[in-house]
Amino acid sequence: MRSPRDFLKPQAVGAPAPLAEIPFKPSRMIHFFDPSNEKMAAKLPDIAKKTDILLGNLEDAVPADRKEAAREGLVKIGKQVDLGDTALWTRINSLDSPWVLDDLLRLVLEIGDRLEVVMVPKVEGAWDIHYVDRLLAQLEAKAKLRRPLLVHAILETAQGVANVEEIAQASPRMQGMSFGPADLAASRRMKTTRVGGGHPGYLVVTDPVKDQPEAPRQTAQQDLWHYSIARMVDACTANGLLPFYGPFGDISDPVGCEAQFRAAFLMGCVGAWSLHPSQIDIAKQVFSPDPAEVRFARRVLEAMPDGRGVLMLDGKMQDDATWKQCKVMVSLAELLAKKDPELAAKYGL
Ligand code: GLV
Ligand code: MG
């Protein structure tokens, strides 16, 4: 166990000091793109106007014979493309792959000053983060970077879920986590063939009707992911990290996508991945608090200026704890309103 006194010291001579606090910026969607696709790269400045985070994906979904083209494409984008105030992230290949060392060497040395966050897939325990932590510090020193790169882990193996707290605490670089239901399903040997969402077979059924064994019985699908997302949200928020829901693979099902994103939002996630432009709008809608809720939350804050006491508003009890919930809602609305004039008008801010 590392001494708390050393936690905020750089891991290599000449590397920038770690941040004591993770900055919170609008993070409603992490939009994935394949940097080996030149047509897509040409569209990035336009896509950047409506996204909070753009992520150059080097891992799964990029075929083995395009790995180098993807890495080089991202270097070029980082050097040449203006993305405004949209953050640029990358997802590197997994730590056991033949590509990851070159991913880190090339990206940090060439565009380390442009990248904000490195997403690391298939993180299993603190040891994976320690490896990346030290290597990043060495590369930051070599590249003479002044700002430390942050690390985002994907929670997508059974062992990763079992070790989620120690992963969250492994380094001050830990910016957040995303939930990866596709790899997690495979790792757990779940009998599904999907990327996120529910399953018609995972349900509860009402009791049989007395003396009518054939009578129809209502069923309701349950959330396959509730337990693990809740663990991730607790591990992240307990340690000052940001939790995200990951991918929803059925692009033809916007309703299912919206429900999955909303469940994550209500549980405390700040955003989700978008794998297709249509999901950018869904994420924006879901992860921006509802204007009616924001208006109500502002009324609570106004009614209890010092955040203490008890009163009734529209028949609902308000006290110190509801005040704190309202503060979360209004602070997020204020942050998003600064970036998005349309939202600012809806919130009356
Ligand atoms: C994401 O990478 C997933 O496996 O769901
Ligand atoms: Mg995965």
Side-chain angles (χ1 to χ4, degrees), residues 59-60 91 121-122 154 156 179-184 195-196 246-247 273:
E59 201 224 7
D60 291 356
R91 176 170 78 166
K122 302 176 179 69
I154 313 180
E156 53 181 351
F179 187 70
D183 270 301
L184 183 58
V195 179
W273 300 3

Side-chain angles (χ1 to χ4, degrees), residues 35-64:
S36 75
N37 180 335
E38 285 184 12
K39 261 204 205 149
M40 201 180 275
K43 291 187 194 151
L44 287 178
D46 276 341
I47 301 179
K49 290 188 190 123
K50 47 185 211 151
T51 48
D52 295 337
I53 299 159
L54 275 168
L55 178 145
N57 177 34
L58 307 184
E59 201 224 7
D60 291 356
V62 176

Side-chain angles (χ1 to χ4, degrees), residues 304 307 309 318-326:
M304 297 173 68
Q318 309 300 327
D319 67 357
D320 308 43
T322 61
W323 186 92
K324 287 178 199 156
Q325 291 177 52
C326 293

Side-chain angles (χ1 to χ4, degrees), residues 228-341:
S228 311
I229 294 179
R231 284 202 59 185
M232 177 184 76
V233 170
D234 279 344
C236 284
T237 47
N239 292 289
L241 279 56
L242 306 173
F244 291 72
Y245 177 74
F248 187 85
D250 188 350
I251 310 296
S252 69
D253 181 13
V255 174
C257 178
E258 185 175 333
Q260 177 77 76
F261 284 6
R262 182 157 290 113
F265 172 67
L266 289 170
M267 280 177 75
C269 289
V270 299
W273 300 3
S274 52
L275 304 180
H276 183 272
S278 62
Q279 293 185 338
I280 296 175
D281 294 329
I282 300 175
K284 190 177 257 184
Q285 159 86 19
V286 170
F287 289 97
S288 306
D290 178 44
E293 293 258 39
V294 173
R295 271 196 297 277
F296 181 77
R298 289 179 70 200
R299 283 176 58 210
V300 175
L301 298 189
E302 278 155 24
M304 297 173 68
D306 65 355
R308 303 227 168 92
V310 64
L311 54 85
M312 299 295 283
L313 211 61
D314 300 348
K316 300 179 184 76
M317 186 206 72
Q318 309 300 327
D319 67 357
D320 308 43
T322 61
W323 186 92
K324 287 178 199 156
Q325 291 177 52
C326 293
K327 187 81 183 147
V328 169
M329 184 86 79
V330 172
S331 303
L332 178 59
E334 284 170 349
L335 180 85
L336 297 176
K338 278 193 206 126
K339 171 166 176 142
D340 189 334

